[in-house]
Amino acid sequence: GVCEIWLTSEDTGAYGRDIGTDLPTLLWRLVEEIPEGAMLRLGMTNPPYILEHLEEMAKILNHPRVYAFLHVPVQSASDSVLMDMKREYCIDDFKRVVDFLKERVPGVTIATDIICGFPGETDEDFQETVDLVKCYRFPSLFINQFYPRPGTPAAKMEQVPANVKKQRTKELSQLFHSYNPYDHEVGERQHVLVTEESFDGQYYVAHNKFYEQVLVPKKVEFKGKMVEVDIYEAGKHFLKGQPVEDSKPFTPSITAPLQKGEVSGLTQVNTHTQKHAHLHRVVFYQVLPTRLSINLT
């Protein structure tokens, strides 16, 4: 019943460097196997390794069975802070990745991370980060206040005062909440893949091609299906979609879902297992997952 695959690691873009291959090679092989309607989502990648493959990555993110979404952490827009963080990139590297993908993959979602108050960060350094957010208006932004972990080099550096870190975090959060990235999509007709239930239990959660969260009516026939919807509302972190009347949900399963009463894996327990039940436990699951997560590390 799997209809969505997450491919992730600590740095997905570095895949294959130790075994003589690379991420695009893996992705092209994967999309050959993924059926129509099923979707692949890529995990986090830092700028250095993805820079080598921008042309191919743009083609892959445009593929109909791959979400046009990439999580590229920037942490700071100041080169001096990035150097203190021992990052292997400068702010121009990050901008090159984002600008290239935004040009070649229309509508692509770029998510990023920012750390406020890293040791040595000046007001000027922080302003560079603010200007970066103003420029790109990231729809998904993870803001963290720096906390010194004991035993790390950063913990031994001169710290930014706690009240300054707090103020910078607040200012950046206010900037992030000052714009609505999805308003322009109201009125659009989109295909979305329904994979889970909302936290409040009132809706099913689906995602469109750009991995933007779309809330749809909680109808059991939609779960794990590709549904066509008309977008009628946009919030800060979500869209709401009304299913198109004449459109039928499409089942984009990678394999046929299990029938009621059918189990996955072994169909019977052999005699050896039965005799050594105190040593081994065989568990059969009758769940119908909609997502498979693969960690490359």
Side-chain angles (χ1 to χ4, degrees):
V2 171
C3 59
E4 183 179 277
I5 297 175
W6 286 10
L7 197 64
T8 187
S9 72
E10 290 185 14
D11 192 339
T12 311
Y15 172 80
R17 294 175 68 88
D18 56 337
I19 54 176
T21 185
D22 53 47
L23 182 62
T25 300
L26 172 65
L27 297 177
W28 284 124
R29 289 293 305 277
L30 283 172
V31 295
E32 290 177 6
E33 305 298 330
I34 299 175
E36 180 183 358
M39 298 296 290
L40 171 67
R41 195 197 86 155
L42 294 177
M44 185 273 288
T45 179
N46 283 302
Y49 301 129
I50 210 68
L51 273 170
E52 304 172 20
H53 310 297
L54 283 180
E55 196 80 43
E56 286 301 296
M57 288 304 299
K59 295 176 183 177
I60 290 166
L61 293 177
N62 274 312
H63 194 284
R65 297 191 288 278
V66 180
Y67 287 117
F69 168 92
L70 202 59
H71 181 186
V72 187
V74 65
Q75 309 299 2
S76 172
S78 165
D79 282 340
S80 62
V81 173
L82 292 175
M83 187 177 298
D84 288 342
M85 288 179 174
K86 301 293 190 291
R87 301 282 165 175
E88 298 178 357
Y89 58 88
C90 62
I91 190 58
D92 283 345
D93 291 335
F94 175 81
K95 289 180 177 179
R96 182 182 163 201
V97 170
V98 177
D99 292 343
F100 188 94
L101 293 179
K102 286 174 76 70
E103 178 185 348
R104 302 294 184 90
V105 188
V108 65
T109 295
I110 301 294
T112 195
D113 300 356
I114 288 174
I115 296 174
C116 292
F118 189 83
E121 182 187 64
T122 65
D123 290 339
E124 291 75 18
D125 293 328
F126 176 67
Q127 188 58 48
E128 290 184 70
T129 300
V130 170
D131 293 341
L132 183 80
V133 176
K134 287 181 177 178
C135 175
Y136 289 103
R137 296 166 67 90
F138 301 104
S140 183
L141 180 61
F142 303 95
I143 303 170
N144 301 287
Q145 182 174 308
F146 176 78
Y147 176 80
R149 293 183 179 178
T152 61
K156 301 174 184 177
M157 298 169 66
E158 185 176 351
Q159 303 296 307
V160 173
N163 64 314
V164 175
K165 289 192 290 186
K166 184 176 181 180
Q167 179 57 38
R168 289 175 183 173
T169 303
K170 181 180 178 181
E171 181 179 339
L172 203 60
S173 297
Q174 289 175 338
L175 171 59
F176 173 61
H177 286 94
S178 70
Y179 57 86
N180 295 315
Y182 307 133
D183 285 354
H184 66 282
E185 296 182 57
V186 174
E188 290 185 359
R189 180 163 291 187
Q190 302 179 347
H191 283 90
V192 300
L193 184 58
V194 183
T195 57
E196 57 206 281
E197 186 178 294
S198 63
F199 286 119
D200 61 8
Q202 300 300 306
Y203 300 91
Y204 273 156
V205 177
H207 292 93
N208 59 17
K209 164 67 176 172
F210 311 107
Y211 204 70
E212 296 161 345
Q213 185 171 266
V214 182
L215 303 179
V216 299
K218 192 177 176 181
K219 295 183 179 180
V220 67
E221 61 268 27
F222 290 165
K223 188 68 178 292
K225 305 293 198 306
M226 184 72 75
V227 181
E228 190 174 24
V229 300
D230 288 325
I231 303 299
Y232 67 90
E233 184 180 331
K236 176 61 181 176
H237 303 287
F238 66 88
L239 296 159
K240 286 185 180 179
Q242 180 63 36
V244 177
E245 287 188 14
D246 298 334
S247 177
K248 293 183 179 180
F250 174 67
T251 305
S253 181
I254 291 172
T255 184
L258 298 175
Q259 298 299 312
K260 185 176 182 180
E262 185 180 1
V263 295
S264 62
L266 299 173
T267 56
Q268 61 182 7
V269 182
N270 62 34
T271 305
H272 176 81
T273 303
Q274 290 176 330
K275 288 181 178 179
H276 298 81
H278 64 289
L279 297 177
H280 305 280
R281 176 177 294 170
V282 179
V283 182
F284 297 109
Y285 293 95
Q286 195 183 336
V287 296
L288 301 180
T290 58
R291 180 185 299 129
L292 174 65
S293 182
I294 302 173
N295 195 316
L296 296 175
T297 52

